[in-house]
Amino acid sequence: MTTTIFDSPLGQVRVTGDNNGVSRISCTDVSSDEPVSTALPEPVEQAVAQLMDYFGGSRQTFDFLLNPAGTPFQQSVWKALLDVPYGTTLSYLALSRRLGDEKAIRAVAAANGKNPLWIVVPCHRIIGSDGSLTGYAGGLWRKKWLLEHEQGGSGQLSLF
């Protein structure tokens, strides 16, 4: 596995992967002394370029190879997250219904919280049924920033 780090408006972004795909994307406020590779596998190189385009406002979708590790249930939730379009939000309940079991809302929320591919698998687009910005591993301020960024910086979020 190869890791690289770059600066973004939300902190340092860490991208990890190999030729089989990107397995982890995360963000932190803490500067890292972690060694980074200069020879990047193509999926990692593509991820960095596409994420930089996203932050620059010129990209709304991603098309590099993904390879996250997770249970079959987590994988199904993460796949469903890929169907939530840029600039929109969906409630945890609505996501549970899309997956065929509204009673699984807690399990869906837990899988959402374990998403290893920050931004690309858009868990930030999942909100509370009342429109609240509930739960986000990267911090609610990042979730708010991402949603506003996708709304064109208008500061007005739409539930659906």
Side-chain angles (χ1 to χ4, degrees):
M1 286 293 182
T2 301
T3 297
T4 191
I5 298 171
F6 68 93
D7 290 325
S8 80
L10 298 176
Q12 286 196 327
V13 176
R14 177 180 289 116
V15 180
T16 302
D18 57 23
N19 286 321
N20 294 317
V22 174
S23 58
R24 178 165 291 282
I25 301 170
S26 60
C27 187
T28 182
D29 294 325
V30 180
S31 292
S32 175
D33 293 334
E34 178 180 347
V36 295
S37 178
T38 52
L40 301 177
E42 187 174 346
V44 173
E45 197 171 284
Q46 291 172 340
V48 170
Q50 290 181 26
L51 284 163
M52 291 174 92
D53 289 346
Y54 170 88
F55 285 117
S58 64
R59 176 171 288 275
Q60 296 181 359
T61 60
F62 302 94
D63 59 9
F64 54 87
L65 190 59
L66 305 177
N67 191 22
T71 67
F73 179 77
Q74 288 171 331
Q75 296 277 349
S76 72
V77 172
W78 301 337
K79 186 173 191 249
L81 289 171
L82 293 171
D83 293 331
V84 181
Y86 181 95
T88 65
T89 57
L90 189 70
S91 72
Y92 288 97
L93 180 59
L95 181 60
S96 298
R97 287 179 178 149
R98 280 189 181 185
L99 290 162
D101 186 0
E102 72 178 47
K103 292 180 182 175
I105 189 170
R106 288 179 189 237
V108 167
N112 193 61
K114 298 279 187 192
N115 171 22
L117 294 166
W118 181 68
I119 297 177
V120 175
V121 175
C123 58
H124 62 279
R125 296 180 190 149
I126 308 304
I127 61 175
S129 293
D130 62 358
S132 62
L133 302 183
T134 61
Y136 191 64
L140 289 180
W141 73 271
R142 282 191 178 98
K143 183 171 189 166
K144 183 175 190 257
W145 189 97
L146 290 166
L147 293 173
E148 288 177 352
H149 175 69
E150 292 184 6
Q151 292 287 318
S154 69
Q156 208 165 25
L157 305 176
S158 73
L159 180 57
F160 304 100

